[in-house]
Amino acid sequence: MQINWDDFQKVDLRIGTIIEVTEFPEAHNPSYKMKIDFGEEVGIKKSSAQITVLYNLEDLLGKQVLAVTNFPPKQIGPFMSECLVTGFYDSNGAIALAMPEFNVPNGAKLI
C-alpha cells in the first residue's frame, strides 16, 4: 500500500535519549520500561520494548532512539506507554533499535 506525503507527515518520528530504564517483569514477553527525553517541545515520555535479547539495562541508558511520539497512550499491563520506540527484527527475531549514527538534539524530527 502506498501512502502520500500528507500521510507521512502525520507520523511524528523523533529522536529521544533514554534517561531511565528498568526491568518489566509483569510483561508477557521479556521487556524493559523506559523514560525517554524528547526535548523541550515533547518532553519526557514512557515506553516499553521487547529488546532484552540484544540490550542490557546499562547499555541502553543514554542511548538515542527513534520513536513515534504522537500515538495515544496505550495500557500494557500495569504500565502506560506514551510512545512507540522503533526497531527492526534481526534474522533470529530479536529487535535491534533504530538509532542515529551520530548524536542529534533531543526532539529532532525524522525528515
Side-chain angles (χ1 to χ4, degrees):
M1 171 198 325
Q2 288 188 341
I3 64 171
N4 62 40
W5 184 252
D6 289 336
D7 293 331
F8 176 73
Q9 286 187 307
K10 292 176 187 175
V11 181
D12 195 18
L13 285 157
R14 293 183 184 248
I15 288 295
T17 299
I18 299 171
I19 59 171
E20 184 179 306
V21 59
T22 58
E23 301 279 349
F24 189 7
E26 304 90 352
H28 290 286
N29 296 310
S31 302
Y32 294 134
K33 295 187 288 187
M34 298 174 284
K35 286 186 181 177
I36 305 166
D37 182 357
F38 291 101
E40 206 171 293
E41 184 178 344
V42 176
I44 295 171
K45 290 188 173 268
K46 299 181 294 183
S47 186
S48 69
Q50 298 174 13
I51 55 175
T52 60
V53 174
L54 297 178
Y55 303 95
N56 63 46
L57 296 172
E58 298 80 26
D59 291 338
L60 290 169
L61 198 58
K63 293 272 189 205
Q64 288 194 303
V65 293
L66 180 65
V68 178
T69 59
N70 63 336
F71 276 136
K74 180 177 181 178
Q75 190 75 43
I76 301 174
F79 183 74
M80 185 64 73
S81 181
E82 301 171 319
C83 63
L84 175 68
V85 175
T86 62
F88 305 92
Y89 287 109
D90 72 7
S91 59
N92 296 313
I95 298 172
L97 292 169
M99 298 186 225
E101 184 175 355
F102 303 102
N103 278 349
V104 295
N106 286 338
K109 288 185 174 188
L110 180 72
I111 56 170

